[in-house]
Amino acid sequence: MKIQLALDRMTVEEAIEMTRQVEDYVDWVEVGTSLIKEFGTSSIRALKEAFPNKIIVADIKTIDNAKYEFQLCFEAGADLATVMGVAPPVTIETCLHMAAQYDKRVMVDLLNTNEEHIQQLRQYDAAIFCAHVSKDQQEIAGKQTSTHAGIPKSLSAEWAVAGGISLESLDILTKLSPTVVIIGSAITKAANPKAAAKQIKEYILSIEERAHA
């Protein structure tokens, strides 16, 4: 189970410094949507140059213009880029084609999808799927909503969970064995980000060790 560090609402320099603090305890580094919108694909390039051995995720949330946007991300150094599951099929297929061309990966964000969408998405088995509770939903609700509700595990061999995940919520989520757990503020807003990341990593490792005992 991988930990993906989500970096949002900060400068590129702050994102690099945050990652340096916790790099021993995270596997993938996400250049968040707001970071890309504010600083462009140079933010992707900067993170990849700073951490060449990490998987860099460009959370661009493409919904149209897939060829151009994915080319920008991959040429800037992203190893994986995101597309919205509610995008037209031709858009998702273009993203997968571009990823294959660059030998990269695609993550399909299931935000606002319904069961019909999910059934249609099953064909894209080369993708990673992300069950996602939006930031707006978290803030307006004032509490975390389950990130896995209604998401069939059989959707893909690889899937991720995102949205307000904390150490406390990991107990439920790890039982579902996601490939990737995407964590932002539980690390980046912690009083001691390194200690928080270490605690989360050790907790996940302990879960996995017990599962294989």
Side-chain angles (χ1 to χ4, degrees):
M1 194 181 308
K2 307 294 185 185
I3 295 176
Q4 178 173 313
L5 174 68
L7 300 166
D8 271 303
R9 296 172 296 282
M10 60 181 72
T11 66
V12 176
E13 291 75 19
E14 288 169 340
I16 291 172
E17 176 55 32
M18 176 60 64
T19 307
R20 284 201 179 111
Q21 291 183 52
V22 304
E23 63 178 311
D24 290 342
Y25 307 107
V26 302
D27 306 288
W28 296 4
V29 177
E30 173 192 316
V31 187
T33 313
S34 64
L35 208 60
I36 296 172
K37 285 185 175 181
E38 186 168 0
F39 301 104
T41 54
S42 61
S43 60
I44 302 170
R45 184 171 291 106
L47 267 295
K48 188 60 178 181
E49 289 176 353
F51 305 98
N53 297 320
K54 293 292 185 186
I55 296 294
I56 301 297
V57 179
D59 190 19
I60 198 166
K61 290 186 172 70
T62 288
I63 199 163
D64 190 21
N65 203 17
K67 181 177 180 179
Y68 180 70
E69 292 189 359
F70 266 49
Q71 183 175 8
L72 285 175
C73 290
F74 293 145
E75 292 191 353
D79 300 288
L80 186 154
T82 64
V83 61
M84 301 307 295
V86 293
V90 66
T91 299
I92 298 172
E93 289 160 11
T94 301
C95 290
L96 288 162
H97 174 76
M98 293 302 294
Q101 184 175 320
Y102 282 86
D103 195 23
K104 306 293 185 179
R105 298 292 308 275
V106 174
M107 182 179 286
V108 178
D109 190 321
L110 298 177
L111 185 67
N112 209 40
T113 56
N114 56 32
E115 185 57 34
E116 182 180 354
H117 287 133
I118 291 171
Q119 293 300 324
Q120 293 170 352
L121 292 167
R122 286 180 183 275
Q123 62 184 300
Y124 305 123
D125 55 7
I128 301 170
F129 292 88
C130 180
H132 183 191
V133 174
S134 74
K135 186 68 175 175
D136 292 333
Q137 186 176 348
Q138 294 172 56
E139 290 178 346
I140 292 171
K143 60 182 180 180
Q144 181 184 343
T145 304
S146 172
T147 55
H148 62 274
I151 305 303
K153 187 179 175 182
S154 60
L155 177 65
S156 172
E158 294 184 88
W159 65 289
V161 287
I165 295 173
S166 64
L167 184 65
E168 291 72 24
S169 63
L170 279 175
D171 186 52
I172 295 173
L173 294 176
T174 52
K175 291 176 182 176
L176 298 170
S177 301
T179 309
V180 184
V181 178
I182 302 172
I183 302 177
S185 58
I187 293 174
T188 62
K189 301 298 183 184
N192 186 331
K194 182 175 181 179
K198 182 175 185 289
Q199 187 177 21
I200 290 169
K201 184 68 170 181
E202 289 176 346
Y203 181 81
I204 288 175
L205 289 174
S206 70
I207 293 281
E208 293 179 335
E209 287 172 2
R210 290 200 298 272
H212 291 94

